[in-house]
Amino acid sequence: MLYAVFMSSALPPCPQPQEPLDTPLLLEVGTGPDEPCLRADAARNRARLLEAATRLIAEHGVAGVTMEAVATAAKVGKGTVFRRFGDRTGLLTALLDHSSRSLQADFLGGPPPLGPGAPPLERLRAFGTAVLHRSAEQLDLQLAALPEPTRRYAHPSVQALRTHLTVLLRQLLPEADCELLALTLLNYLDPALIHHLNRQCGMPMSRLEAGWLDLVDRITATEPRADVPRTSPTAAAERPPGTAPRP
């Protein structure tokens, strides 16, 4: 079934497309208005700059990515980098765009359970797991590229994730306010929260993944999967003696 079919025309943030969808379409993220019409040489320069920035991250971490360093690595003038990306945040955001498009391709048209073909509950579970793994691999980059708070939820890549969550929730909970529920789930996957829980609190990613599955099951009033305990070993160890786990 087509991705857009489940979106309600009564909700302005998710308008119906004006052209038929024969196959799922990727939601554009992070490109400027002139990106689709880039000249071939400009497109090659942009690719060279992103490749240079990727190498710098691999060698020196996100802190090593400056406009000057990227220009030197790509053997272009610093002004070229500024013209293409505007500032360092724009450059880091562009680096995340490729990963964002790959993730969108997976959940819009990839194999199940993340992609079409699996029941919506399984897709919802797989979605959070995929985003958590992506964040674990790119956490420093994601934190550095985060838009400032008042623009964060309006960013196209975040809107794409929110829209997908809303679609799945509407299939599972048609009577619920699925847009707000989608934001609740999306907040669990926020890079800043993942950084706090994983790096500052020392929670392993396996616990965060189990927490996502538990949250999904509770929101959808679904029986938990047998292979995913509702209470983590850490939480069980911290529970006061004589108290029972939450049902």
Side-chain angles (χ1 to χ4, degrees):
M1 190 170 289
L2 297 182
Y3 175 72
V5 167
F6 302 98
M7 300 305 296
S8 168
S9 58
L11 296 172
C14 305
Q16 292 288 342
Q18 300 301 310
E19 56 188 30
L21 295 179
D22 296 324
T23 58
L25 297 179
L26 294 186
L27 300 172
E28 293 296 332
V29 295
T31 56
D34 62 330
E35 293 289 7
C37 302
L38 283 178
R39 300 191 315 272
D41 58 341
R44 284 193 296 270
N45 283 340
R46 187 175 191 276
R48 285 176 57 198
L49 293 170
L50 292 177
E51 289 170 4
T54 301
R55 291 197 303 270
L56 288 172
I57 289 177
E59 295 169 2
H60 308 291
V62 174
V65 179
T66 65
M67 304 299 265
E68 294 84 355
V70 171
T72 300
K75 299 180 180 179
V76 300
K78 186 170 66 173
T80 300
V81 187
F82 279 98
R83 283 193 299 273
R84 176 48 52 200
F85 301 108
D87 56 19
R88 183 174 182 271
T89 298
L91 172 61
L92 296 176
T93 300
L95 284 169
L96 283 175
D97 281 350
H98 175 71
S99 176
S100 297
R101 288 193 182 95
S102 297
L103 178 63
Q104 289 178 45
D106 287 340
F107 67 65
L108 289 177
L114 183 57
L121 180 60
E122 290 304 312
R123 296 189 68 192
L124 190 57
R125 289 167 169 160
F127 172 83
T129 300
V131 174
L132 284 170
H133 282 289
R134 173 175 170 261
S135 293
E137 294 171 357
Q138 304 177 334
L139 192 52
D140 290 336
L141 177 59
Q142 289 190 2
L143 290 173
L146 275 178
E148 55 95 7
T150 61
R151 295 189 295 114
R152 186 171 302 174
Y153 291 100
H155 192 275
S157 64
V158 176
Q159 294 256 9
L161 301 183
R162 175 184 173 183
T163 298
H164 182 61
L165 284 172
T166 304
V167 167
L168 296 177
L169 287 168
R170 282 181 181 158
Q171 296 175 60
L172 292 163
L173 305 168
E175 302 302 321
D177 188 338
C178 293
E179 283 199 301
L180 291 182
L181 285 181
L183 284 171
T184 299
L185 289 173
L186 193 60
N187 284 332
Y188 184 90
L189 304 173
D190 182 72
L193 178 60
I194 294 171
H195 176 269
H196 170 68
L197 296 176
N198 179 241
R199 299 194 179 176
Q200 295 178 333
C201 298
M203 293 185 188
M205 293 302 297
S206 58
R207 183 175 176 187
L208 301 187
E209 182 178 342
W212 167 262
L213 299 175
D214 184 39
L215 179 61
V216 167
D217 290 343
R218 290 176 188 273
I219 284 180
T220 60
T222 303
E223 286 296 322
R225 286 171 33 175
D227 59 333
V228 179
R230 278 193 181 272
T231 305
S232 71
T234 303
E238 294 172 349
R239 195 168 57 240
T243 61
R246 183 176 58 172

